[in-house]
Amino acid sequence: MVSHGAFDYGGASMAEKQSSRKAALRKKVWDALEENDAVLFPRPCHGRIPNCAGSAVACGHLLQLPALRDASVVKVHPSIGAAALRTALVMAKKTVLVPPYPGADFLYLLLHHSLAPSASALQRAGDKREYMKWARPLQLLEIPRVDVVVVATCVVASNGVRLGKGKGYGEVEWGILTELGAVDESVPVYTLCHDLQVVRSEDLPADMMESHDLPVDAFATPSGVTKCEAKAMPRKPFGVRWDLVGADLEHDIGALRELRGLDPQALAAHRAAARRFSAPIADQTAEEWQALTDACVSLFAAEEAKWSDGGPSGKSKSKGKGYGKARGKLAQLSAQAESMSAQAEAEAAQEAALQAAQIIQQHQELLPATLQMRPLDEGPREVREEDSAERCRIDETATVAVKERAARRQADSNPNQPSEEERQARAEHLRRQREALMEKKKREREEELSRYSALGGTAVRAAERACAGQPALPVDEAGRKLADELRGNPVQETPQANAEEAAMAMRRAGQLGVLCQSTVP
């Protein structure tokens, strides 16, 4: 535990004093971690959540808390020091929610046993370099009820007061989760840290916390687990302090934009209906849980030892052997978990089938005789034949209905094919066009007959004699054609012998027209 002396802030305002005290505490802890060589990559640890030596051991201590062992959904911060914790939870088939990189438009990535593409990926499921390949982005309204929240920490005290790195990510996430109904005051909040990050409650009193700051119920270090004093702990906040959300924070946590756009009534209804995921978790005994957590801790502790030895390659043979042994133990536990999962799924499927059979048996009398299930050799032959005919009729009806639906779908999907209404409209249009054409031709015939009547020539008299059935008089060519047409005789064109005869015929027709005009009174 780091001890701090009194700080003199002069005549600054209360908010400035609080901010200065927090900054001084963070710097004091970061300096202590660096001076004692208690941090791993990346260094220096100033301005970030420290990746401390012994983080894997601290994860092992935290995993012994009953709330984590019994949890179904756990939210864990993405820092390197929590990799062993995330891996153990995923290996135990729990749903793990992890924030993505700053700037994403969703709040969490979902990690689950079923998403890991291979056994080797499952053994390192909590490593950011691994889970970023296959974790599923979770939409805001998909977030389920969370059983435990694990936040990042720079400084913490036994009174539950903690300080992050100062950006407020953990508080904003908690606020969003409360808005969604995913967490409330009863949800435990834990954190992981080094012993050098723990300060006295006098140095981190409750009055240093603001209304949006999130306290913790317990914290784990390489030395063990410390449960915070319930009476001294501040209340957990509710909602998002929008007055403190700036442009940078809204960019880093893109889910804030989506939350801001939700209808308040719809959000309240979603909060009231929030429920847990139905995904099953591994039903493990205390011994199996202990073995799983020990293997994860050993694996990541051996990796920490390689980092502390000068780099990721490592030079210590004994440490390398420990790393390989941990990997082998974890692989064995992974295979055992897969076998238990397959057996459990088979048993569940068999149980579901038996329940379905019992339900069908209980409701047989409620079904029509043609739909009741019976062996093929049960009942007289006539009943079986009647059932067969009824099934055939039902099948035919269903086939016709399917074809009709397919035809309708095809007609709907083909915009070039006319509908029934369009076909009827086209037929009606053609009928009207045909009637109009016939009316036009009739008018033209009547007009032609009127012109000949007005002329009063030989052709008209020939036409009148033809209508009266009298013998035809010598008439000109136009009168003969009109008479033949009125009698219903086919009109035949008289071919011209040559151009000279055609010209003479035209001159005679012109003279006849002049003569007819002169005879009109």
Side-chain angles (χ1 to χ4, degrees), residues 61-75 85 89 94-95 146-150 186-190 217-218 225 227 236 276 281 289:
H61 292 317
L62 193 66
L63 286 165
Q64 302 311 310
L65 292 175
L68 267 175
R69 188 170 61 246
D70 300 335
S72 175
V73 180
V74 183
K75 178 262 169 181
L85 174 65
L89 294 173
K94 301 181 187 297
T95 299
V146 178
D147 300 307
V148 176
V149 171
V150 181
S186 64
V187 174
V189 179
Y190 301 144
D217 297 276
V225 175
K227 294 184 179 180
K236 295 168 185 171
R276 303 180 188 277
I281 60 175
W289 173 259

PDB file of all heavy atoms in Angstrom, residues 61-75 85 89 94-95 146-150 186-190 217-218 225 227 236 276 281 289:
ATOM      1  N   HIS A  61      -7.053 -15.148  -7.988  1.00  0.00           N
ATOM      2  CA  HIS A  61      -7.717 -14.830  -6.721  1.00  0.00           C
ATOM      3  C   HIS A  61      -9.142 -14.327  -6.958  1.00  0.00           C
ATOM      4  O   HIS A  61     -10.075 -14.715  -6.237  1.00  0.00           O
ATOM      5  CB  HIS A  61      -6.915 -13.777  -5.955  1.00  0.00           C
ATOM      6  CG  HIS A  61      -5.591 -14.267  -5.461  1.00  0.00           C
ATOM      7  ND1 HIS A  61      -5.426 -15.506  -4.878  1.00  0.00           N
ATOM      8  CD2 HIS A  61      -4.356 -13.686  -5.454  1.00  0.00           C
ATOM      9  CE1 HIS A  61      -4.165 -15.675  -4.532  1.00  0.00           C
ATOM     10  NE2 HIS A  61      -3.486 -14.584  -4.878  1.00  0.00           N
ATOM     11  N   LEU A  62      -9.316 -13.459  -7.955  1.00  0.00           N
ATOM     12  CA  LEU A  62     -10.644 -12.899  -8.220  1.00  0.00           C
ATOM     13  C   LEU A  62     -11.625 -13.988  -8.669  1.00  0.00           C
ATOM     14  O   LEU A  62     -12.816 -13.953  -8.334  1.00  0.00           O
ATOM     15  CB  LEU A  62     -10.543 -11.806  -9.278  1.00  0.00           C
ATOM     16  CG  LEU A  62     -11.783 -10.922  -9.452  1.00  0.00           C
ATOM     17  CD1 LEU A  62     -12.017 -10.087  -8.193  1.00  0.00           C
ATOM     18  CD2 LEU A  62     -11.649 -10.020 -10.669  1.00  0.00           C
ATOM     19  N   LEU A  63     -11.123 -14.981  -9.409  1.00  0.00           N
ATOM     20  CA  LEU A  63     -11.988 -16.058  -9.906  1.00  0.00           C
ATOM     21  C   LEU A  63     -12.536 -16.939  -8.792  1.00  0.00           C
ATOM     22  O   LEU A  63     -13.461 -17.720  -9.021  1.00  0.00           O
ATOM     23  CB  LEU A  63     -11.221 -16.917 -10.917  1.00  0.00           C
ATOM     24  CG  LEU A  63     -11.002 -16.274 -12.292  1.00  0.00           C
ATOM     25  CD1 LEU A  63      -9.945 -17.035 -13.082  1.00  0.00           C
ATOM     26  CD2 LEU A  63     -12.313 -16.226 -13.070  1.00  0.00           C
ATOM     27  N   GLN A  64     -11.991 -16.833  -7.600  1.00  0.00           N
ATOM     28  CA  GLN A  64     -12.494 -17.631  -6.489  1.00  0.00           C
ATOM     29  C   GLN A  64     -13.714 -17.013  -5.826  1.00  0.00           C
ATOM     30  O   GLN A  64     -14.345 -17.648  -4.977  1.00  0.00           O
ATOM     31  CB  GLN A  64     -11.388 -17.825  -5.451  1.00  0.00           C
ATOM     32  CG  GLN A  64     -10.133 -18.504  -5.998  1.00  0.00           C
ATOM     33  CD  GLN A  64     -10.459 -19.765  -6.798  1.00  0.00           C
ATOM     34  OE1 GLN A  64     -11.202 -20.634  -6.323  1.00  0.00           O
ATOM     35  NE2 GLN A  64      -9.916 -19.847  -8.003  1.00  0.00           N
ATOM     36  N   LEU A  65     -14.068 -15.797  -6.204  1.00  0.00           N
ATOM     37  CA  LEU A  65     -15.264 -15.178  -5.638  1.00  0.00           C
ATOM     38  C   LEU A  65     -16.512 -15.893  -6.145  1.00  0.00           C
ATOM     39  O   LEU A  65     -16.642 -16.161  -7.357  1.00  0.00           O
ATOM     40  CB  LEU A  65     -15.323 -13.696  -6.016  1.00  0.00           C
ATOM     41  CG  LEU A  65     -14.248 -12.805  -5.376  1.00  0.00           C
ATOM     42  CD1 LEU A  65     -14.337 -11.394  -5.907  1.00  0.00           C
ATOM     43  CD2 LEU A  65     -14.388 -12.817  -3.861  1.00  0.00           C
ATOM     44  N   PRO A  66     -17.449 -16.225  -5.276  1.00  0.00           N
ATOM     45  CA  PRO A  66     -18.648 -16.976  -5.701  1.00  0.00           C
ATOM     46  C   PRO A  66     -19.453 -16.270  -6.794  1.00  0.00           C
ATOM     47  O   PRO A  66     -20.019 -16.926  -7.666  1.00  0.00           O
ATOM     48  CB  PRO A  66     -19.461 -17.097  -4.399  1.00  0.00           C
ATOM     49  CG  PRO A  66     -18.455 -16.954  -3.301  1.00  0.00           C
ATOM     50  CD  PRO A  66     -17.423 -16.002  -3.807  1.00  0.00           C
ATOM     51  N   ALA A  67     -19.502 -14.941  -6.756  1.00  0.00           N
ATOM     52  CA  ALA A  67     -20.292 -14.221  -7.761  1.00  0.00           C
ATOM     53  C   ALA A  67     -19.767 -14.470  -9.171  1.00  0.00           C
ATOM     54  O   ALA A  67     -20.546 -14.594 -10.122  1.00  0.00           O
ATOM     55  CB  ALA A  67     -20.291 -12.722  -7.453  1.00  0.00           C
ATOM     56  N   LEU A  68     -18.436 -14.554  -9.322  1.00  0.00           N
ATOM     57  CA  LEU A  68     -17.856 -14.833 -10.642  1.00  0.00           C
ATOM     58  C   LEU A  68     -18.040 -16.296 -11.023  1.00  0.00           C
ATOM     59  O   LEU A  68     -18.307 -16.622 -12.184  1.00  0.00           O
ATOM     60  CB  LEU A  68     -16.370 -14.479 -10.648  1.00  0.00           C
ATOM     61  CG  LEU A  68     -16.005 -13.065 -11.114  1.00  0.00           C
ATOM     62  CD1 LEU A  68     -14.514 -12.830 -10.951  1.00  0.00           C
ATOM     63  CD2 LEU A  68     -16.403 -12.870 -12.569  1.00  0.00           C
ATOM     64  N   ARG A  69     -17.889 -17.184 -10.057  1.00  0.00           N
ATOM     65  CA  ARG A  69     -18.032 -18.611 -10.347  1.00  0.00           C
ATOM     66  C   ARG A  69     -19.460 -18.943 -10.785  1.00  0.00           C
ATOM     67  O   ARG A  69     -19.664 -19.794 -11.644  1.00  0.00           O
ATOM     68  CB  ARG A  69     -17.652 -19.429  -9.109  1.00  0.00           C
ATOM     69  CG  ARG A  69     -17.583 -20.928  -9.370  1.00  0.00           C
ATOM     70  CD  ARG A  69     -16.977 -21.668  -8.189  1.00  0.00           C
ATOM     71  NE  ARG A  69     -17.749 -21.498  -6.969  1.00  0.00           N
ATOM     72  CZ  ARG A  69     -17.310 -20.858  -5.888  1.00  0.00           C
ATOM     73  NH1 ARG A  69     -16.106 -20.311  -5.878  1.00  0.00           N
ATOM     74  NH2 ARG A  69     -18.068 -20.750  -4.801  1.00  0.00           N
ATOM     75  N   ASP A  70     -20.453 -18.244 -10.229  1.00  0.00           N
ATOM     76  CA  ASP A  70     -21.850 -18.530 -10.543  1.00  0.00           C
ATOM     77  C   ASP A  70     -22.416 -17.638 -11.649  1.00  0.00           C
ATOM     78  O   ASP A  70     -23.578 -17.787 -12.024  1.00  0.00           O
ATOM     79  CB  ASP A  70     -22.706 -18.352  -9.289  1.00  0.00           C
ATOM     80  CG  ASP A  70     -22.276 -19.275  -8.154  1.00  0.00           C
ATOM     81  OD1 ASP A  70     -21.684 -20.331  -8.455  1.00  0.00           O
ATOM     82  OD2 ASP A  70     -22.512 -18.936  -6.979  1.00  0.00           O
ATOM     83  N   ALA A  71     -21.631 -16.705 -12.157  1.00  0.00           N
ATOM     84  CA  ALA A  71     -22.141 -15.731 -13.140  1.00  0.00           C
ATOM     85  C   ALA A  71     -22.365 -16.388 -14.495  1.00  0.00           C
ATOM     86  O   ALA A  71     -21.737 -17.393 -14.845  1.00  0.00           O
ATOM     87  CB  ALA A  71     -21.159 -14.571 -13.275  1.00  0.00           C
ATOM     88  N   SER A  72     -23.263 -15.791 -15.261  1.00  0.00           N
ATOM     89  CA  SER A  72     -23.494 -16.208 -16.646  1.00  0.00           C
ATOM     90  C   SER A  72     -22.933 -15.197 -17.635  1.00  0.00           C
ATOM     91  O   SER A  72     -22.368 -15.561 -18.650  1.00  0.00           O
ATOM     92  CB  SER A  72     -25.000 -16.390 -16.891  1.00  0.00           C
ATOM     93  OG  SER A  72     -25.254 -16.687 -18.241  1.00  0.00           O
ATOM     94  N   VAL A  73     -23.093 -13.904 -17.324  1.00  0.00           N
ATOM     95  CA  VAL A  73     -22.596 -12.828 -18.191  1.00  0.00           C
ATOM     96  C   VAL A  73     -21.706 -11.916 -17.356  1.00  0.00           C
ATOM     97  O   VAL A  73     -22.121 -11.434 -16.301  1.00  0.00           O
ATOM     98  CB  VAL A  73     -23.757 -12.016 -18.809  1.00  0.00           C
ATOM     99  CG1 VAL A  73     -23.206 -10.905 -19.702  1.00  0.00           C
ATOM    100  CG2 VAL A  73     -24.693 -12.924 -19.589  1.00  0.00           C
ATOM    101  N   VAL A  74     -20.479 -11.678 -17.839  1.00  0.00           N
ATOM    102  CA  VAL A  74     -19.514 -10.850 -17.118  1.00  0.00           C
ATOM    103  C   VAL A  74     -18.951  -9.812 -18.080  1.00  0.00           C
ATOM    104  O   VAL A  74     -18.540 -10.141 -19.195  1.00  0.00           O
ATOM    105  CB  VAL A  74     -18.361 -11.693 -16.533  1.00  0.00           C
ATOM    106  CG1 VAL A  74     -17.423 -10.818 -15.719  1.00  0.00           C
ATOM    107  CG2 VAL A  74     -18.909 -12.834 -15.686  1.00  0.00           C
ATOM    108  N   LYS A  75     -18.956  -8.560 -17.654  1.00  0.00           N
ATOM    109  CA  LYS A  75     -18.303  -7.497 -18.428  1.00  0.00           C
ATOM    110  C   LYS A  75     -16.908  -7.293 -17.854  1.00  0.00           C
ATOM    111  O   LYS A  75     -16.740  -7.091 -16.646  1.00  0.00           O
ATOM    112  CB  LYS A  75     -19.135  -6.218 -18.366  1.00  0.00           C
ATOM    113  CG  LYS A  75     -18.486  -5.045 -19.114  1.00  0.00           C
ATOM    114  CD  LYS A  75     -17.728  -4.135 -18.165  1.00  0.00           C
ATOM    115  CE  LYS A  75     -16.867  -3.137 -18.897  1.00  0.00           C
ATOM    116  NZ  LYS A  75     -16.107  -2.247 -18.004  1.00  0.00           N
ATOM    117  N   LEU A  85      -8.188 -13.682 -16.776  1.00  0.00           N
ATOM    118  CA  LEU A  85      -9.568 -13.683 -16.293  1.00  0.00           C
ATOM    119  C   LEU A  85     -10.550 -13.925 -17.450  1.00  0.00           C
ATOM    120  O   LEU A  85     -11.450 -14.763 -17.350  1.00  0.00           O
ATOM    121  CB  LEU A  85      -9.866 -12.350 -15.616  1.00  0.00           C
ATOM    122  CG  LEU A  85     -11.320 -12.115 -15.182  1.00  0.00           C
ATOM    123  CD1 LEU A  85     -11.720 -13.098 -14.097  1.00  0.00           C
ATOM    124  CD2 LEU A  85     -11.507 -10.674 -14.704  1.00  0.00           C
ATOM    125  N   LEU A  89     -13.035 -17.331 -18.032  1.00  0.00           N
ATOM    126  CA  LEU A  89     -14.497 -17.184 -18.125  1.00  0.00           C
ATOM    127  C   LEU A  89     -15.030 -17.773 -19.428  1.00  0.00           C
ATOM    128  O   LEU A  89     -16.067 -18.431 -19.440  1.00  0.00           O
ATOM    129  CB  LEU A  89     -14.875 -15.710 -18.009  1.00  0.00           C
ATOM    130  CG  LEU A  89     -14.586 -15.048 -16.651  1.00  0.00           C
ATOM    131  CD1 LEU A  89     -14.846 -13.554 -16.728  1.00  0.00           C
ATOM    132  CD2 LEU A  89     -15.428 -15.682 -15.558  1.00  0.00           C
ATOM    133  N   LYS A  94     -18.914 -19.047 -20.109  1.00  0.00           N
ATOM    134  CA  LYS A  94     -19.644 -17.853 -19.711  1.00  0.00           C
ATOM    135  C   LYS A  94     -19.583 -16.833 -20.845  1.00  0.00           C
ATOM    136  O   LYS A  94     -18.674 -16.853 -21.671  1.00  0.00           O
ATOM    137  CB  LYS A  94     -19.051 -17.271 -18.431  1.00  0.00           C
ATOM    138  CG  LYS A  94     -19.086 -18.247 -17.252  1.00  0.00           C
ATOM    139  CD  LYS A  94     -18.505 -17.628 -16.004  1.00  0.00           C
ATOM    140  CE  LYS A  94     -18.396 -18.659 -14.878  1.00  0.00           C
ATOM    141  NZ  LYS A  94     -19.694 -19.193 -14.453  1.00  0.00           N
ATOM    142  N   THR A  95     -20.566 -15.949 -20.896  1.00  0.00           N
ATOM    143  CA  THR A  95     -20.591 -14.880 -21.891  1.00  0.00           C
ATOM    144  C   THR A  95     -19.803 -13.697 -21.344  1.00  0.00           C
ATOM    145  O   THR A  95     -20.079 -13.212 -20.255  1.00  0.00           O
ATOM    146  CB  THR A  95     -22.038 -14.449 -22.193  1.00  0.00           C
ATOM    147  OG1 THR A  95     -22.755 -15.571 -22.722  1.00  0.00           O
ATOM    148  CG2 THR A  95     -22.066 -13.318 -23.206  1.00  0.00           C
ATOM    149  N   VAL A 146     -26.285  -8.241 -16.984  1.00  0.00           N
ATOM    150  CA  VAL A 146     -24.906  -8.549 -16.627  1.00  0.00           C
ATOM    151  C   VAL A 146     -24.865  -8.938 -15.155  1.00  0.00           C
ATOM    152  O   VAL A 146     -25.452  -8.261 -14.303  1.00  0.00           O
ATOM    153  CB  VAL A 146     -23.990  -7.334 -16.908  1.00  0.00           C
ATOM    154  CG1 VAL A 146     -22.553  -7.639 -16.493  1.00  0.00           C
ATOM    155  CG2 VAL A 146     -24.057  -6.963 -18.387  1.00  0.00           C
ATOM    156  N   ASP A 147     -24.158 -10.023 -14.860  1.00  0.00           N
ATOM    157  CA  ASP A 147     -24.088 -10.519 -13.477  1.00  0.00           C
ATOM    158  C   ASP A 147     -22.955  -9.893 -12.678  1.00  0.00           C
ATOM    159  O   ASP A 147     -23.089  -9.665 -11.474  1.00  0.00           O
ATOM    160  CB  ASP A 147     -23.931 -12.043 -13.481  1.00  0.00           C
ATOM    161  CG  ASP A 147     -25.090 -12.727 -14.171  1.00  0.00           C
ATOM    162  OD1 ASP A 147     -26.239 -12.448 -13.798  1.00  0.00           O
ATOM    163  OD2 ASP A 147     -24.863 -13.529 -15.093  1.00  0.00           O
ATOM    164  N   VAL A 148     -21.819  -9.639 -13.330  1.00  0.00           N
ATOM    165  CA  VAL A 148     -20.650  -9.072 -12.654  1.00  0.00           C
ATOM    166  C   VAL A 148     -19.973  -8.094 -13.612  1.00  0.00           C
ATOM    167  O   VAL A 148     -19.891  -8.357 -14.822  1.00  0.00           O
ATOM    168  CB  VAL A 148     -19.638 -10.166 -12.228  1.00  0.00           C
ATOM    169  CG1 VAL A 148     -18.391  -9.538 -11.608  1.00  0.00           C
ATOM    170  CG2 VAL A 148     -20.269 -11.134 -11.236  1.00  0.00           C
ATOM    171  N   VAL A 149     -19.480  -6.986 -13.081  1.00  0.00           N
ATOM    172  CA  VAL A 149     -18.730  -5.996 -13.866  1.00  0.00           C
ATOM    173  C   VAL A 149     -17.320  -5.912 -13.284  1.00  0.00           C
ATOM    174  O   VAL A 149     -17.147  -5.758 -12.066  1.00  0.00           O
ATOM    175  CB  VAL A 149     -19.418  -4.617 -13.823  1.00  0.00           C
ATOM    176  CG1 VAL A 149     -18.522  -3.552 -14.451  1.00  0.00           C
ATOM    177  CG2 VAL A 149     -20.758  -4.666 -14.536  1.00  0.00           C
ATOM    178  N   VAL A 150     -16.305  -6.031 -14.162  1.00  0.00           N
ATOM    179  CA  VAL A 150     -14.903  -5.896 -13.764  1.00  0.00           C
ATOM    180  C   VAL A 150     -14.344  -4.677 -14.481  1.00  0.00           C
ATOM    181  O   VAL A 150     -14.309  -4.639 -15.712  1.00  0.00           O
ATOM    182  CB  VAL A 150     -14.092  -7.159 -14.110  1.00  0.00           C
ATOM    183  CG1 VAL A 150     -12.634  -6.994 -13.666  1.00  0.00           C
ATOM    184  CG2 VAL A 150     -14.702  -8.398 -13.462  1.00  0.00           C
ATOM    185  N   SER A 186     -27.402  -3.672  -7.370  1.00  0.00           N
ATOM    186  CA  SER A 186     -27.102  -4.976  -6.773  1.00  0.00           C
ATOM    187  C   SER A 186     -25.985  -5.725  -7.498  1.00  0.00           C
ATOM    188  O   SER A 186     -25.467  -6.711  -6.971  1.00  0.00           O
ATOM    189  CB  SER A 186     -28.370  -5.841  -6.770  1.00  0.00           C
ATOM    190  OG  SER A 186     -28.789  -6.124  -8.091  1.00  0.00           O
ATOM    191  N   VAL A 187     -25.616  -5.296  -8.693  1.00  0.00           N
ATOM    192  CA  VAL A 187     -24.581  -5.999  -9.466  1.00  0.00           C
ATOM    193  C   VAL A 187     -23.213  -5.692  -8.869  1.00  0.00           C
ATOM    194  O   VAL A 187     -22.837  -4.515  -8.738  1.00  0.00           O
ATOM    195  CB  VAL A 187     -24.632  -5.576 -10.945  1.00  0.00           C
ATOM    196  CG1 VAL A 187     -23.477  -6.191 -11.724  1.00  0.00           C
ATOM    197  CG2 VAL A 187     -25.962  -5.977 -11.561  1.00  0.00           C
ATOM    198  N   PRO A 188     -22.434  -6.716  -8.507  1.00  0.00           N
ATOM    199  CA  PRO A 188     -21.116  -6.463  -7.915  1.00  0.00           C
ATOM    200  C   PRO A 188     -20.126  -5.931  -8.944  1.00  0.00           C
ATOM    201  O   PRO A 188     -20.134  -6.332 -10.106  1.00  0.00           O
ATOM    202  CB  PRO A 188     -20.690  -7.842  -7.398  1.00  0.00           C
ATOM    203  CG  PRO A 188     -21.476  -8.814  -8.199  1.00  0.00           C
ATOM    204  CD  PRO A 188     -22.770  -8.157  -8.533  1.00  0.00           C
ATOM    205  N   VAL A 189     -19.278  -5.023  -8.491  1.00  0.00           N
ATOM    206  CA  VAL A 189     -18.242  -4.420  -9.330  1.00  0.00           C
ATOM    207  C   VAL A 189     -16.885  -4.758  -8.711  1.00  0.00           C
ATOM    208  O   VAL A 189     -16.643  -4.466  -7.526  1.00  0.00           O
ATOM    209  CB  VAL A 189     -18.421  -2.893  -9.437  1.00  0.00           C
ATOM    210  CG1 VAL A 189     -17.318  -2.292 -10.300  1.00  0.00           C
ATOM    211  CG2 VAL A 189     -19.790  -2.553 -10.007  1.00  0.00           C
ATOM    212  N   TYR A 190     -16.010  -5.393  -9.509  1.00  0.00           N
ATOM    213  CA  TYR A 190     -14.690  -5.802  -9.030  1.00  0.00           C
ATOM    214  C   TYR A 190     -13.621  -5.136  -9.881  1.00  0.00           C
ATOM    215  O   TYR A 190     -13.887  -4.588 -10.956  1.00  0.00           O
ATOM    216  CB  TYR A 190     -14.529  -7.324  -9.109  1.00  0.00           C
ATOM    217  CG  TYR A 190     -15.545  -8.112  -8.302  1.00  0.00           C
ATOM    218  CD1 TYR A 190     -16.035  -9.327  -8.773  1.00  0.00           C
ATOM    219  CD2 TYR A 190     -16.017  -7.651  -7.079  1.00  0.00           C
ATOM    220  CE1 TYR A 190     -16.962 -10.061  -8.044  1.00  0.00           C
ATOM    221  CE2 TYR A 190     -16.937  -8.380  -6.349  1.00  0.00           C
ATOM    222  CZ  TYR A 190     -17.415  -9.580  -6.847  1.00  0.00           C
ATOM    223  OH  TYR A 190     -18.331 -10.294  -6.113  1.00  0.00           O
ATOM    224  N   ASP A 217     -16.822  -3.194  -5.205  1.00  0.00           N
ATOM    225  CA  ASP A 217     -17.189  -4.007  -4.046  1.00  0.00           C
ATOM    226  C   ASP A 217     -16.004  -4.810  -3.513  1.00  0.00           C
ATOM    227  O   ASP A 217     -15.987  -5.190  -2.336  1.00  0.00           O
ATOM    228  CB  ASP A 217     -18.322  -4.957  -4.414  1.00  0.00           C
ATOM    229  CG  ASP A 217     -19.587  -4.215  -4.799  1.00  0.00           C
ATOM    230  OD1 ASP A 217     -20.345  -3.834  -3.900  1.00  0.00           O
ATOM    231  OD2 ASP A 217     -19.808  -4.005  -6.006  1.00  0.00           O
ATOM    232  N   ALA A 218     -15.031  -5.096  -4.392  1.00  0.00           N
ATOM    233  CA  ALA A 218     -13.848  -5.865  -3.976  1.00  0.00           C
ATOM    234  C   ALA A 218     -12.771  -5.666  -5.027  1.00  0.00           C
ATOM    235  O   ALA A 218     -13.051  -5.298  -6.172  1.00  0.00           O
ATOM    236  CB  ALA A 218     -14.179  -7.342  -3.810  1.00  0.00           C
ATOM    237  N   VAL A 225      -7.566 -11.220  -2.180  1.00  0.00           N
ATOM    238  CA  VAL A 225      -8.778 -10.457  -2.447  1.00  0.00           C
ATOM    239  C   VAL A 225      -9.123  -9.624  -1.224  1.00  0.00           C
ATOM    240  O   VAL A 225      -9.060 -10.104  -0.087  1.00  0.00           O
ATOM    241  CB  VAL A 225      -9.957 -11.389  -2.805  1.00  0.00           C
ATOM    242  CG1 VAL A 225     -11.247 -10.587  -2.955  1.00  0.00           C
ATOM    243  CG2 VAL A 225      -9.667 -12.147  -4.096  1.00  0.00           C
ATOM    244  N   LYS A 227     -12.282  -7.371   0.246  1.00  0.00           N
ATOM    245  CA  LYS A 227     -13.665  -6.921   0.120  1.00  0.00           C
ATOM    246  C   LYS A 227     -13.789  -5.549   0.778  1.00  0.00           C
ATOM    247  O   LYS A 227     -13.338  -5.351   1.904  1.00  0.00           O
ATOM    248  CB  LYS A 227     -14.617  -7.923   0.771  1.00  0.00           C
ATOM    249  CG  LYS A 227     -14.645  -9.265   0.062  1.00  0.00           C
ATOM    250  CD  LYS A 227     -15.676 -10.206   0.666  1.00  0.00           C
ATOM    251  CE  LYS A 227     -15.703 -11.526  -0.084  1.00  0.00           C
ATOM    252  NZ  LYS A 227     -16.701 -12.473   0.492  1.00  0.00           N
ATOM    253  N   LYS A 236     -23.693   3.446  -6.043  1.00  0.00           N
ATOM    254  CA  LYS A 236     -23.377   3.336  -7.470  1.00  0.00           C
ATOM    255  C   LYS A 236     -24.299   4.256  -8.268  1.00  0.00           C
ATOM    256  O   LYS A 236     -25.484   4.360  -7.968  1.00  0.00           O
ATOM    257  CB  LYS A 236     -23.537   1.881  -7.931  1.00  0.00           C
ATOM    258  CG  LYS A 236     -22.532   0.948  -7.271  1.00  0.00           C
ATOM    259  CD  LYS A 236     -22.862  -0.499  -7.503  1.00  0.00           C
ATOM    260  CE  LYS A 236     -21.911  -1.403  -6.722  1.00  0.00           C
ATOM    261  NZ  LYS A 236     -22.323  -2.817  -6.745  1.00  0.00           N
ATOM    262  N   ARG A 276     -31.798 -11.950 -19.002  1.00  0.00           N
ATOM    263  CA  ARG A 276     -30.499 -12.589 -19.167  1.00  0.00           C
ATOM    264  C   ARG A 276     -30.439 -13.389 -20.461  1.00  0.00           C
ATOM    265  O   ARG A 276     -31.451 -13.768 -21.029  1.00  0.00           O
ATOM    266  CB  ARG A 276     -30.209 -13.529 -17.986  1.00  0.00           C
ATOM    267  CG  ARG A 276     -30.253 -12.829 -16.643  1.00  0.00           C
ATOM    268  CD  ARG A 276     -29.951 -13.811 -15.516  1.00  0.00           C
ATOM    269  NE  ARG A 276     -30.172 -13.193 -14.214  1.00  0.00           N
ATOM    270  CZ  ARG A 276     -29.291 -12.431 -13.609  1.00  0.00           C
ATOM    271  NH1 ARG A 276     -28.138 -12.212 -14.170  1.00  0.00           N
ATOM    272  NH2 ARG A 276     -29.561 -11.891 -12.436  1.00  0.00           N
ATOM    273  N   ILE A 281     -24.267 -22.378 -19.465  1.00  0.00           N
ATOM    274  CA  ILE A 281     -22.881 -22.326 -19.019  1.00  0.00           C
ATOM    275  C   ILE A 281     -22.490 -23.719 -18.527  1.00  0.00           C
ATOM    276  O   ILE A 281     -23.336 -24.566 -18.253  1.00  0.00           O
ATOM    277  CB  ILE A 281     -22.688 -21.282 -17.907  1.00  0.00           C
ATOM    278  CG1 ILE A 281     -23.556 -21.632 -16.687  1.00  0.00           C
ATOM    279  CG2 ILE A 281     -23.025 -19.894 -18.402  1.00  0.00           C
ATOM    280  CD1 ILE A 281     -23.321 -20.712 -15.508  1.00  0.00           C
ATOM    281  N   TRP A 289     -13.669 -26.284 -11.599  1.00  0.00           N
ATOM    282  CA  TRP A 289     -13.480 -24.841 -11.695  1.00  0.00           C
ATOM    283  C   TRP A 289     -12.085 -24.446 -11.228  1.00  0.00           C
ATOM    284  O   TRP A 289     -11.419 -23.630 -11.875  1.00  0.00           O
ATOM    285  CB  TRP A 289     -14.551 -24.141 -10.865  1.00  0.00           C
ATOM    286  CG  TRP A 289     -14.377 -22.659 -10.753  1.00  0.00           C
ATOM    287  CD1 TRP A 289     -13.866 -21.972  -9.697  1.00  0.00           C
ATOM    288  CD2 TRP A 289     -14.708 -21.686 -11.741  1.00  0.00           C
ATOM    289  NE1 TRP A 289     -13.861 -20.617  -9.946  1.00  0.00           N
ATOM    290  CE2 TRP A 289     -14.374 -20.415 -11.203  1.00  0.00           C
ATOM    291  CE3 TRP A 289     -15.253 -21.750 -13.016  1.00  0.00           C
ATOM    292  CZ2 TRP A 289     -14.569 -19.225 -11.904  1.00  0.00           C
ATOM    293  CZ3 TRP A 289     -15.458 -20.569 -13.720  1.00  0.00           C
ATOM    294  CH2 TRP A 289     -15.114 -19.332 -13.172  1.00  0.00           C
TER     295      TRP A 289
END
